[in-house]
Amino acid sequence: MPAIRGLQLIRGGAMAPALARPRPARAEGDDTAAAGEMPVMTVEFSTFDTWYEIDSWWEGRFLERTKRGSFKRTIKAQGAAGVKVLFNHGRDMQIHQKVLGVAQLLEERETSPYMEVPLLDTSYNRDLVPGLEAGAYGSSFAFEVIGESWNREPGQSDENPEGLPERTITEVKLFEAGPVTWPANPDATAGLRSGADWLMAELAERESDQYQDLVRSFAAFRALHGLGTPSKDGPASPAVPDPMTPAPGPEPARHVSGLTAAARSRRLSLLGVKR
């Protein structure tokens, strides 16, 4: 099953970025450290082969995992410096889209992608340093799914007691990564969460055209995979509909058990999605 191309997603978790003081260049015989030198931020942002639940009004509800190797092609193509390093995905009210630094190292390690970023000597980075040192932030990344596989009827298991659809991501295109104040989940150090609801609320207030484009894209995504949406809270947007109303989109999303292959094909044709 091909992924819907062009749909950028956000995942965030409790893997706190860390800081390491750089080893300053010293003249021969000089044992004094450079005062006030900015630290290097290290970030791990996607634990491999670990199931986590996506429970999003916009994306639907399913289990997801990222396979080891899924970042290798994007790292090779872009290099470390090609991935932006922002705070709160560039949507912080004070820092906005100012970069925190330029990554010098980005690679896959045994359990996760790993990035090293010497922080720029700026006032906004100095404001962030105490929180980073205290482990107060989580890590998050923005990406597009290039390769994936789905098991829509996996049955119940210890990892999936409700038998939710399971998505395995095998390749991504990485756009950006960095520290966030949300959605660090204190109950799971390796778990990730969807950032779609937060992003859509932000876009609804500031960027109406992009918001409407994503409404259609997420509707196509749910239709393609037969995903329902949580109904207890409604979408994270300025106008919250009745909790029992379906998520916005050309047609209501339905649960996997209620959508036949023929119905899914007709819906995708209406949405303009080619299979």
Side-chain angles (χ1 to χ4, degrees):
M1 177 67 67
I4 294 182
R5 301 299 294 271
L7 181 59
Q8 292 190 28
L9 302 175
I10 292 176
R11 296 288 182 263
M15 296 168 283
L19 293 183
R21 294 287 171 180
R23 296 179 179 177
R26 303 176 183 174
E28 186 175 352
D30 181 6
D31 293 329
T32 60
E37 189 159 3
M38 293 297 289
V40 174
M41 179 177 67
T42 62
V43 186
E44 295 180 88
F45 49 86
S46 179
T47 303
F48 296 136
D49 297 308
T50 299
W51 289 110
Y52 47 88
E53 183 178 331
I54 299 299
D55 190 3
S56 161
W57 179 273
W58 297 101
E59 289 191 69
R61 187 164 180 249
F62 54 95
L63 293 192
E64 183 179 271
R65 64 180 174 179
T66 304
K67 296 294 291 182
R68 186 181 179 190
S70 56
F71 289 82
K72 284 188 174 180
R73 183 175 295 184
T74 190
I75 291 172
K76 182 178 180 180
Q78 298 173 245
V83 177
K84 295 298 183 185
V85 183
L86 304 174
F87 178 61
N88 274 345
H89 299 288
R91 296 186 175 274
D92 180 76
M93 295 296 289
Q94 295 180 329
I95 299 176
H96 300 289
Q97 295 193 34
K98 300 182 183 73
V99 297
L100 305 187
V102 178
Q104 288 188 345
L105 176 65
L106 177 61
E107 63 185 12
E108 279 201 5
R109 294 197 169 180
E110 185 70 23
T111 59
S112 171
Y114 173 83
M115 182 167 61
E116 291 185 357
V117 186
L119 296 178
L120 299 174
D121 191 354
T122 65
S123 59
Y124 57 84
N125 270 339
R126 291 187 178 278
D127 288 341
L128 289 177
V129 164
L132 290 168
E133 289 179 333
Y137 298 112
S139 60
S140 187
F141 63 106
F143 67 106
E144 177 186 345
V145 175
I146 304 299
E148 62 179 0
S149 63
W150 284 82
N151 183 354
R152 294 198 179 90
E153 297 181 359
Q156 296 178 333
S157 65
D158 290 341
E159 293 178 323
N160 188 1
E162 297 183 58
L164 297 174
E166 294 177 351
R167 177 199 212 184
T168 297
I169 296 174
T170 56
E171 184 181 348
V172 308
K173 182 177 181 180
L174 182 63
F175 297 102
E176 176 259 322
V180 290
T181 53
W182 67 271
N185 179 0
D187 298 325
T189 57
L192 296 179
R193 290 177 57 186
S194 167
D197 296 60
W198 169 85
L199 175 64
M200 292 296 280
E202 291 282 305
L203 293 176
E205 293 182 352
R206 304 181 191 181
E207 300 172 41
S208 177
D209 289 345
Q210 187 177 358
Y211 172 81
Q212 294 300 333
D213 286 344
L214 282 173
V215 166
R216 291 187 287 269
S217 293
F218 280 125
F221 174 82
R222 296 191 308 271
L224 178 63
H225 301 296
L227 298 171
T229 55
S231 61
K232 58 182 182 296
D233 297 321
S237 64
V240 179
D242 183 281
M244 296 306 294
T245 60
E251 291 190 30
R254 295 170 61 184
H255 289 277
V256 64
S257 59
L259 190 65
T260 66
R264 183 180 299 112
S265 180
R266 288 194 300 271
R267 182 174 299 177
L268 290 176
S269 177
L270 289 172
L271 291 168
V273 178
K274 296 181 179 180
R275 302 184 63 178

